[in-house]
Amino acid sequence: MSERTATLKLDDLEEALELPVMSGTIGPDVIDVGGLTAKGYFTYDPGFVSTASCESKITYIDGGKGVLLHRGYPIEQLAEKSDFLETCYLLVYSKLPNKEEKTKFINNIRYHTMVHDQLSHFFNGFRRDAHPMAIMCGVVGALSAFYHDSLDITDERHREISAQRLIAKMPTLAAMTYKYSIGQPFVYPRNDLNYAENFLYMMFSNPCEEYKVNPVLSKAMDRIFLLHADHEQNASTSTVRLAGSTGANPFACISAGIAALWGPSHGGANEAVLAMLDEIGDVSNIDEFVARAKDKNDPFRLMGFGHRVYKNFDPRARVMKETADEVLAELGLEDSPLLKIAKRLEQIALEDPYFIEKKLYPNVDFYSGIILKALGIPTSMFTVIFALGRTPGWIAHWHEMISHPYKIGRPRQLYTGPAKRDYPE
C-alpha cells in the first residue's frame, strides 16, 4: 500500500482533507474516501464504475490492453495448459495444485456430484415450462436445507466443504433442470467421467440407449466453463459479496449471484446473440442489419460485439474462436444457415473500418453462443451454463471476504425526494 495522499478542498470546510491513496500490485491507484462521512459527505458513483468496493487477490482485468489474469496467470495460458477443475482450485486456494493436490480435489468433486434424493422432489413444485434460471435460483438456495451440517461460515473447514459441494453439484442440478423441462427422467452422474463429460452425459443421455461423450465436445464444454470461471467485481460477483456480508450461508449467496446473472444485461448476452442471428434470418439480410447497427437512430444493436470492460479484443474470445472452429468442424456444421450468418458477421467485424475503429470485436458471448447452439443446448440453458462456470469465482470471492475482517455492505444515496412534511389534517 502507498503512503501518498490526495488533497480535497471543499468550499465549506476551512481545512483541506487529506485522503489516503492506496496502490495495488498492478492497476489504477485508489483513493480511500472513508473519511468523508465524518465530514458530512458521501461520494456519488452510480453503477460503481469508479469505485473499488473491496481489496482482492483473485482476478485482475485491464480492459484497455485486453488482459485477464487469475491469481496472476493469463487466461490464455490457463485455457491452453489447464482445465476447469484445476482453475477452480487456483481461484479458491490461491495457487495451482501439485499432482497430489489436484488428484485429491478432483476426487472430492467427483464423489460429491450426486444430490440428496429428496431434492429431486423439489423440482415437482415448478411448472415444466419454467425458465431454467428460475429453477436454479430455487434449488441452489434449497441446498442449505439439505446440507446444513457445514454452514458455520466462521469455520474454515465448513467453508471448504460447502465450496466443494457447490462446485460438484452445480452440473447435476443444471442437467436436472434441463431434463425436467423436456419431461425426461433425471440422469445420475458417473464417477468414471470427468467434469465436462459428466455434464454432457447427464444432459443428453437417456435410459433407452447408450450415450458416448465426444471428446472434442467435452473439451469445448470444459473450456467454456474455464473461460467463465471469474471476471472480477461484476454485478453477480458483487451481489454474492453483498449477500455474504450479511453472514448468509454460501448456498443463499450463490443463489443470489444466479439471480443477478439472470439479468439480460449480464448473463443473458450469449442468449441474445442467438436471438439476433434468428432475427437476421439469412446471410442475404446481413448488410441491411449491419447498416442498421451503424445507424445511431436505429434501436437495433449487434449482440456479441464489443465489451463494457474490454476496450480491446476480449482475451477469452481468441480462445473461444478456436474452440468454435473445432466444434463446427467436428460436427460438420460449417454449412448451417445460422452459423453461416455468424461467420459472416465475424468477418465483417474483423474487416469493416467502422467496427475496427470502435473496437467492436466479437466477444466471448458471440463464440460461446455459437458453440452451445452447435452442441444442441437450448438457448434457455445458456445462462445456466454461465452460472455453472462462474460458481468457483463466486465462491472464491465469498471465501476471500469471509476469511478476513469485513463490514456488512451498506451503500449510500443522494436523496432527492420530498423534505420532511406534515400529514394533511
Side-chain angles (χ1 to χ4, degrees):
M1 294 294 179
S2 169
E3 295 182 358
R4 294 182 298 129
T5 60
T7 303
L8 177 64
K9 183 69 175 73
L10 298 170
D11 293 340
D12 57 346
L13 292 180
E14 293 183 2
E15 296 183 3
L17 296 176
E18 297 296 326
L19 304 175
V21 177
M22 306 166 69
S23 298
T25 311
I26 46 179
D29 291 342
V30 175
I31 300 174
D32 183 352
V33 297
L36 289 176
T37 305
K39 301 295 183 179
Y41 287 92
F42 300 147
T43 56
Y44 183 67
D45 183 24
F48 306 112
V49 293
S50 299
T51 298
S53 62
C54 63
E55 177 186 334
S56 182
K57 294 179 172 64
I58 300 171
T59 295
Y60 172 75
I61 296 172
D62 185 330
K65 296 179 180 178
V67 172
L68 172 59
L69 308 177
H70 291 330
R71 303 287 188 184
Y73 295 101
I75 189 64
E76 301 92 333
Q77 293 183 22
L78 291 172
E80 178 187 354
K81 301 177 181 180
S82 185
D83 55 52
F84 179 63
L85 284 185
E86 185 175 66
T87 301
C88 289
Y89 189 100
L90 171 67
L91 292 172
V92 175
Y93 293 100
S94 309
K95 68 184 185 72
L96 287 171
N98 58 35
K99 186 176 180 180
E100 181 181 343
E101 289 168 335
K102 183 175 180 179
T103 299
K104 180 181 178 182
F105 181 71
I106 289 174
N107 284 337
N108 283 343
I109 299 302
R110 176 178 288 133
Y111 294 114
H112 284 89
T113 51
M114 286 187 65
V115 297
H116 196 291
D117 187 61
Q118 244 184 304
L119 190 66
S120 63
H121 301 295
F122 197 86
F123 283 81
N124 293 328
F126 295 98
R127 288 170 54 110
R128 292 280 179 178
D129 60 354
H131 194 286
M133 285 295 278
I135 299 176
M136 287 296 288
C137 286
V139 295
V140 171
L143 288 175
S144 59
F146 293 89
Y147 303 103
H148 46 72
D149 58 332
S150 302
L151 291 182
D152 182 356
I153 64 172
T154 65
D155 187 311
E156 185 173 358
R157 179 58 182 155
H158 280 207
R159 296 198 299 269
E160 182 179 39
I161 292 171
S162 293
Q164 292 183 0
R165 279 174 169 164
L166 276 161
I167 293 170
K169 298 179 192 308
M170 284 294 281
T172 309
L173 293 174
M176 290 173 75
T177 298
Y178 172 63
K179 288 296 192 183
Y180 184 77
S181 71
I182 60 175
Q184 289 188 5
F186 297 140
V187 176
Y188 290 109
R190 281 173 37 186
N191 291 340
D192 61 321
L193 300 177
N194 68 31
Y195 195 85
E197 289 171 343
N198 233 332
F199 175 66
L200 292 175
Y201 172 77
M202 291 186 287
M203 282 281 291
F204 297 119
S205 66
N206 65 68
C208 302
E209 57 189 358
E210 184 180 5
Y211 176 82
K212 292 185 177 180
V213 181
N214 184 316
V216 174
L217 305 189
S218 66
K219 178 185 175 183
M221 197 75 256
D222 188 87
R223 189 165 281 177
I224 286 177
F225 293 154
L226 188 154
L227 293 175
H228 286 89
D230 190 46
H231 210 236
E232 207 213 69
Q233 307 304 322
N234 52 73
S236 58
T237 301
S238 298
T239 299
V240 170
R241 279 183 173 263
L242 195 61
S245 75
T246 70
N249 72 73
F251 301 108
C253 295
I254 300 306
S255 180
I258 292 171
L261 188 70
W262 190 1
S265 296
H266 189 10
N270 50 13
E271 191 173 340
V273 169
L274 267 295
M276 174 196 70
L277 296 178
D278 284 332
E279 184 180 357
I280 293 174
D282 188 82
V283 173
S284 62
N285 299 326
I286 288 179
D287 289 343
E288 173 194 345
F289 279 90
V290 168
R292 289 180 59 191
K294 293 179 180 180
D295 183 357
K296 63 181 181 180
N297 296 318
D298 193 306
F300 176 78
R301 293 291 179 268
L302 288 177
M303 305 303 295
F305 296 87
H307 196 280
R308 179 180 175 182
V309 173
Y310 298 108
K311 307 309 176 188
N312 204 312
F313 205 83
D314 182 342
R316 301 168 299 171
R318 293 189 180 95
V319 180
M320 201 67 90
K321 171 178 166 52
E322 296 173 7
T323 305
D325 292 339
E326 292 170 2
V327 168
L328 297 182
E330 176 68 17
L331 297 176
L333 293 175
E334 296 97 329
D335 295 327
S336 164
L338 203 66
L339 297 173
K340 277 186 175 180
I341 298 173
K343 298 298 283 185
R344 175 59 184 148
L345 283 175
E346 176 193 39
Q347 181 184 6
I348 291 172
L350 296 176
E351 297 175 357
D352 190 305
Y354 174 86
F355 290 92
I356 295 173
E357 179 183 346
K358 294 185 175 295
K359 301 186 185 300
L360 296 175
Y361 301 109
N363 61 33
V364 68
D365 300 307
F366 180 78
Y367 294 113
S368 65
I370 293 173
I371 294 171
L372 295 175
K373 175 69 174 179
L375 293 178
I377 295 172
T379 55
S380 62
M381 283 292 295
F382 284 11
T383 315
V384 172
I385 290 171
F386 191 161
L388 198 168
R390 182 56 53 86
T391 296
W394 288 335
I395 291 169
H397 283 275
W398 171 81
H399 185 269
E400 180 181 62
M401 182 187 69
I402 297 297
S403 301
H404 300 87
Y406 63 94
K407 297 179 179 179
I408 185 172
R410 179 59 170 87
R412 302 293 189 166
Q413 67 174 13
L414 174 65
Y415 177 71
T416 55
K420 180 183 177 182
R421 52 183 173 174
D422 294 327
Y423 189 83
E425 296 295 337

